[in-house]
Amino acid sequence: MSKVNRDEIINILDDYDKENITIATLGSHTSLHILKGAKEEGFRTAVVCEKGREVPYKRFNVADEYIMVDKFKDIVNEDVQSQLKDLNSIVVPHGSFVAYAGLDKIENDFYVPMFGNRDILRWESERDLERKLMIESGIRIPNKYKDPEEIDRTVMVKFPGARGGKGYFVASSTEEFHEKIDSMLKRNWIEPEDVKNAHIEEYVSGCNYCIHFFYSALKDEVEVLGMDSRFESNIDGLCRIPAKDQLDIGLDPSYVITGNHPVVMRESLLPQVFDIGDNLVEAAKTLVSPGMNGPFCLQTLCTDDLEIVVFEMSARTDGGSNTFMHASAYSYLMFGEFMSMGRRIAREIKNAINDDKLDVIIT
Ligand code: AMP
């Protein structure tokens, strides 16, 4: 399969009526504030909506156009793409868009102009590429163990495809690693194949901050727009049980994100936050040209040495940006007005249209 041709996308964009652009996205994940923000910036909006899922968009009145599909993945179907194109759409990607459309389709078949760098989506989705980018940027990430025999401290074990925290486990020795693996194999939670591919990393004991950055390619500037922390099941529930009862219950912990809450960091940590964002943006410019473009999120743990350790990256709007559909403490500092991540994306598109630079921020 050959990649969708950038010239083709730019030609489509050139033919668009720039006075009449639609901001479109898949109806899931962070689409409410993407669409709301687009309306606030004066754009027409469209939602590609799975049948039966239209209620929030109607009740919150964020979409001008509805493109109804049987399944989310149909967003890549030719008739849907053609409707999007006819509306002069710029599609804003998010986690569900990437999951349902699929990276191969986005790279090879999806010709509708998209906000951001579509090539970087693979880098955030594949653990080895994500790690390469983080290593290249010189930011502090958890140490990785190539072999369970090397385990010399508490580690977190993650399986491919089990992202989202289901089936993760903590072990403090090689023996414990094998014991837990054996028990998971017996329960058919994992396949023997998965064991080879288990990702073993240093367990970082600290507080969770997910930092929502926006990189403006127009201004070559990194902004911090918000921060959230996660509610995770069942680990959060487990922590509410006294230690002796935890042992009696014998529950296996999991780290499945079920919600987010807004947070702020100690002000003295913010220089570190901006450094991390700047470094990642610089590394991305060389590794996956043209680099970051728009929202990205770093999931971090801050230790009692006040070191911020990054364990995960998204190179598009992250679910935690739903904590500031109006404003966060940081987006207020930055803009002095209500500014969600969705509105910031729309503002960037508006600025690019006004400066005739849409080709800088669209792929
Ligand atoms: P992830 O799927 O990588 O986003 O991780 C889900 C959750 O697992 C995180 O929100 C953390 O609570 C926990 N977690 C992931 N990696 C680590 C780590 N290296 N050390 C401690 N906790 C972690």
Side-chain angles (χ1 to χ4, degrees):
M1 252 194 274
S2 65
K3 282 201 164 197
V4 63
N5 190 333
R6 176 160 167 83
D7 293 342
E8 186 190 344
I9 295 168
I10 295 300
N11 286 342
I12 292 171
L13 197 60
D14 283 346
D15 287 345
Y16 274 5
D17 171 4
K18 306 296 186 306
E19 302 290 309
N20 218 351
I21 294 285
T22 299
I23 294 193
T25 195
L26 187 68
S28 179
H29 197 261
T30 42
S31 57
L32 282 172
H33 69 79
I34 290 173
L35 299 172
K36 175 75 177 169
K39 273 171 108 56
E40 281 168 336
E41 292 299 304
F43 289 100
R44 184 176 48 181
T45 59
V47 64
V48 178
C49 191
E50 193 171 89
K51 282 177 193 150
R53 296 276 296 252
E54 55 274 37
V55 171
Y57 312 103
K58 296 216 155 125
R59 300 286 273 267
F60 290 119
N61 193 22
V62 291
D64 299 314
E65 309 282 343
Y66 289 77
I67 301 176
M68 301 307 295
V69 289
D70 289 329
K71 293 275 165 238
F72 284 123
K73 66 176 171 48
D74 297 341
I75 190 167
V76 294
N77 288 357
E78 170 54 36
D79 61 317
V80 177
Q81 293 200 55
S82 149
Q83 288 180 67
L84 287 167
K85 190 176 106 176
D86 290 347
L87 286 167
N88 297 317
S89 300
I90 294 177
V91 167
V92 177
H94 52 55
S96 299
F97 172 75
V98 175
Y100 288 113
L103 285 170
D104 288 341
K105 290 268 182 200
I106 294 171
E107 288 171 354
N108 301 320
D109 294 332
F110 195 71
Y111 58 78
V112 185
M114 263 173 61
F115 176 73
N117 177 358
R118 69 173 74 198
D119 289 340
I120 209 167
L121 298 174
R122 186 169 289 280
W123 285 69
E124 59 139 48
S125 303
E126 292 182 8
R127 199 165 261 141
D128 289 346
L129 287 177
E130 177 193 36
R131 205 171 159 83
K132 186 169 172 190
L133 178 53
M134 296 202 288
I135 289 172
E136 184 68 22
S137 63
I139 60 182
R140 168 78 163 93
I141 58 177
N143 295 325
K144 181 181 171 181
Y145 291 78
K146 289 206 180 76
D147 192 313
E149 303 306 311
E150 292 170 2
I151 296 174
D152 58 354
R153 68 192 73 178
T154 308
V155 295
M156 181 106 194
V157 183
K158 307 179 179 182
F159 293 98
R163 296 178 100 177
K166 191 130 191 145
Y168 288 9
F169 71 84
V170 173
S172 294
S173 64
T174 305
E175 294 69 44
E176 192 182 348
F177 172 90
H178 288 303
E179 265 166 34
K180 289 193 171 165
I181 289 280
D182 288 347
S183 141
M184 289 175 96
L185 283 169
K186 266 194 210 119
R187 287 187 271 181
N188 290 326
W189 286 5
I190 51 169
E191 300 292 323
E193 187 65 15
D194 296 328
V195 181
K196 281 205 300 289
N197 299 320
H199 171 88
I200 309 171
E201 68 181 33
E202 165 195 5
Y203 183 88
V204 180
S205 181
C207 304
N208 177 229
Y209 298 90
C210 300
I211 310 167
H212 303 279
F213 294 93
F214 185 92
Y215 172 65
S216 168
L218 297 177
K219 295 193 293 171
D220 186 22
E221 200 172 286
V222 176
E223 300 163 1
V224 171
L225 284 196
M227 281 185 211
D228 80 281
S229 189
R230 310 267 139 122
F231 290 113
E232 290 172 3
S233 239
N234 63 8
I235 187 70
D236 290 346
L238 206 55
C239 291
R240 292 170 61 86
I241 302 170
K244 68 176 175 52
D245 301 320
Q246 284 181 13
L247 293 175
D248 292 343
I249 288 169
L251 255 183
D252 294 296
S254 52
Y255 299 80
V256 177
I257 294 171
T258 60
N260 312 73
H261 50 100
V263 290
V264 290
M265 259 186 185
R266 271 171 85 145
E267 194 165 313
S268 57
L269 285 166
L270 291 177
Q272 235 190 111
V273 166
F274 279 101
D275 271 355
I276 292 172
D278 290 349
N279 289 342
L280 203 85
V281 162
E282 283 313 309
K285 279 181 188 166
T286 47
L287 281 183
V288 51
S289 172
M292 286 293 174
N293 192 345
F296 65 103
C297 172
L298 299 179
Q299 295 185 43
T300 75
L301 292 157
C302 185
T303 67
D304 55 359
D305 293 329
L306 299 179
E307 184 179 39
I308 299 174
V309 185
V310 181
F311 64 91
E312 190 81 76
M313 169 197 92
S314 320
R316 35 82 195 160
T317 178
D318 174 275
S321 62
N322 284 338
T323 54
F324 56 105
M325 297 204 201
H326 51 334
S328 78
Y330 300 107
S331 79
Y332 181 73
L333 282 173
M334 208 93 211
F335 289 94
E337 62 181 316
F338 281 166
M339 185 60 70
S340 66
M341 188 58 89
R343 186 170 186 180
R344 181 65 190 90
I345 294 167
R347 178 76 54 94
E348 189 81 345
I349 294 173
K350 193 157 95 178
N351 291 341
I353 294 171
N354 290 339
D355 298 348
D356 199 17
K357 286 191 175 156
L358 265 185
D359 60 325
V360 175
I361 59 162
I362 301 297
T363 51

